[in-house]
């Protein structure tokens, strides 16, 4: 799903793919892609000048990162109260790939 371009001077990182991105298999092609390409044009850049990826490579549960992380935080707090290990965030899991 990432569009990595060797020699690109910039790397754009979105939070997670939306429905359109999941269908097309490319980042920033839905409504966010329209805004992204407009911002690139205003900066004097083209999409081909930038490597593009997302923090996580699949749509998050509950359809938004904010809701997913909020629910994960509540679940982890409950697990910790029970003396059980917490669940890793998809963001934590994907961090090595981003580095």
């Amino acid at each position: 799903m990432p569009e990595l371009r060797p020699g690109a001077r910039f790397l754009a990182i979105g939070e997670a793919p939306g429905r359109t991105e999941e269908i097309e298999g490319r980042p920033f092609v839905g409504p966010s892609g329209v805004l992204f390409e407009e911002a690139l044009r205003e900066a004097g850049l083209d999409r081909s000048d930038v490597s593009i990826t997302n923090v996580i490579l699949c749509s998050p549960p509950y359809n938004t990162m904010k809701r997913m992380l909020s629910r994960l935080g509540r679940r982890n707090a409950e697990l910790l109260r029970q003396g059980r290990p917490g669940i890793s965030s998809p963001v934590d899991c994907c961090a090595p790939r981003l580095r």
Side-chain angles (χ1 to χ4, degrees), residues 4-96:
L4 303 177
R5 294 177 174 79
R9 293 179 26 211
F10 301 99
L11 172 63
I13 304 174
E15 63 178 18
R19 179 175 161 74
T20 308
E21 287 82 5
E22 288 248 328
I23 292 168
E24 293 193 28
R26 297 179 60 214
F28 289 100
V29 292
S32 63
V34 173
L35 293 172
F36 177 66
E37 290 191 15
E38 183 179 307
L40 287 175
R41 276 192 301 279
E42 288 181 18
L45 298 169
D46 185 73
R47 187 179 178 103
S48 63
D49 299 323
V50 181
S51 286
I52 309 165
T53 191
N54 287 301
V55 172
I56 62 175
L57 298 180
C58 57
S59 289
Y62 317 113
N63 208 26
T64 68
M65 288 284 286
K66 185 176 180 179
R67 283 184 66 195
M68 178 200 63
L69 293 174
S70 173
R71 287 183 179 211
L72 181 62
R74 287 194 305 268
R75 178 71 177 132
N76 278 340
E78 182 180 319
L79 290 171
L80 291 173
R81 278 193 298 275
Q82 297 170 4
R84 297 168 54 195
I87 302 166
S88 293
S89 160
V91 175
D92 295 335
C93 295
C94 292

